[in-house]
Amino acid sequence: MRSVLLAALGCAMLVTAPLHARSGAGSADTAIKAAVAQSSRPADAVALDASRHPAEVLAFLGLKPGMHAADIMTGSGYWAEIMAGVVGPKGKVHAYEPQQFYTAPDEVEKWNALTARRPDVDWQRYPFESFAAPANAFDFTIINLSYHDLYWQSEKYKIPRTDPDAFVKALFAATKPGGIVGIVDHVGGGMETRALVDKLHRIDPAVVKADFLRAGFVLEAQSPLLANPADDHSKLVFDPAIRGKTDQFVYLFRKPKR
């Protein structure tokens, strides 16, 4: 698995500057850097920048001012807040969070503070197992370290068995022709997908690729920006020895214009 992954990442080095990034890249890069530097961002979010490389990731994926963008499974709103600064008043960010999360009193307090801090973002809650959005709504979507959870099932968190194909099909319909979907996730492999996710919260990049290609997306580019060959793929991503330093893949999918 490791040799296959490293070979794939080597190939990825050849496609880390997709064609879409060349047009208007200067103004987009300026907007992205300014958004990351916003003084209003919480200190705990800024602390994650060193490992998440938000400016580089968003530049690679092609986020630009004026876009209608989605952050699915937004969690703390880390990406949504940065993206709102990038798209500006002519664009819009739609941040989706499953109804099953942020339900405890302290979490509700954090969620309310987040939505109050950025009223320019369209914050939405939805049932984890049945994501839906209007047709042709998004120019850009990011799912950060959460796509694998579509293969997860949890009685504790009231997460039923979910159909990843149904999710990606809904996302394909919600993406504008020519629109972008960026997936960042923890690299794993060596066992059945649901068992892998349940045990380690990792996913085989090949599974993600197959899911999106089956729905009609095209894999336009991939990047080694967040790769870490030193990561032990047998460890749970929450293990203190590797948390925040896992080997991650970055995929750029596009919905064909026709």
Side-chain angles (χ1 to χ4, degrees):
M1 175 64 188
R2 175 57 57 81
S3 62
V4 172
L5 176 61
L6 290 178
L9 289 175
C11 293
M13 296 287 287
L14 301 177
V15 289
T16 53
L19 293 176
H20 75 271
R22 298 174 186 170
S23 177
S27 60
D29 286 349
T30 299
I32 290 170
K33 290 175 182 177
V36 171
Q38 291 175 106
S39 60
S40 60
R41 294 182 63 217
D44 55 351
V46 174
L48 294 172
D49 291 352
S51 61
R52 294 191 174 184
H53 301 284
E56 294 88 344
V57 169
L58 292 178
F60 166 74
L61 293 175
L63 183 65
K64 297 177 182 178
M67 281 185 164
H68 282 249
D71 177 19
I72 301 179
M73 293 186 245
T74 187
S76 66
Y78 174 92
W79 290 99
E81 289 198 81
I82 295 174
M83 289 160 57
V86 177
V87 302
K90 293 185 178 180
K92 189 69 177 180
V93 170
H94 308 266
Y96 293 84
E97 179 65 8
Q99 293 171 353
Q100 288 94 328
F101 302 145
Y102 281 82
T103 57
D106 61 326
E107 294 172 334
V108 171
E109 184 178 348
K110 290 179 181 178
W111 180 260
N112 290 339
L114 170 64
T115 58
R117 185 169 66 247
R118 293 306 299 251
D120 52 329
V121 174
D122 175 28
W123 303 99
Q124 298 190 40
R125 305 301 293 268
Y126 72 99
F128 183 96
E129 66 278 12
S130 54
F131 172 78
N136 300 322
F138 309 135
D139 300 292
F140 180 100
T141 296
I142 191 169
I143 305 175
N144 181 72
L145 303 180
S146 297
Y147 181 79
H148 67 267
D149 285 329
L150 292 168
Y151 285 91
W152 181 50
Q153 188 172 346
S154 171
E155 183 176 345
K156 177 181 178 181
Y157 292 101
K158 300 179 181 179
I159 305 296
R161 187 180 180 91
T162 300
D163 182 359
D165 281 344
F167 173 89
V168 182
K169 181 179 179 181
L171 181 56
F172 186 86
T175 303
K176 295 179 182 180
I180 297 162
V181 175
I183 302 293
V184 179
D185 220 327
H186 310 280
V187 176
M191 64 181 76
E192 189 273 332
T193 301
R194 290 185 184 274
L196 174 64
V197 172
D198 186 62
K199 183 178 181 180
L200 302 177
H201 278 270
R202 296 174 179 267
I203 194 166
D204 188 333
V207 170
V208 179
K209 179 180 178 180
D211 288 355
F212 277 78
L213 296 184
R214 195 160 52 246
F217 286 100
V218 173
L219 179 59
E220 181 170 296
Q222 52 190 313
S223 171
L225 268 169
L226 304 180
N228 178 14
D231 177 20
D232 181 350
H233 291 178
S234 69
K235 287 186 178 295
L236 176 68
V237 300
F238 305 119
D239 187 314
I242 198 62
R243 187 168 190 170
K245 299 175 288 186
T246 57
D247 190 15
Q248 298 169 25
F249 60 94
V250 184
Y251 278 171
L252 189 166
F253 295 97
R254 189 181 294 278
K255 180 176 179 177
K257 291 186 177 180
R258 293 184 180 179

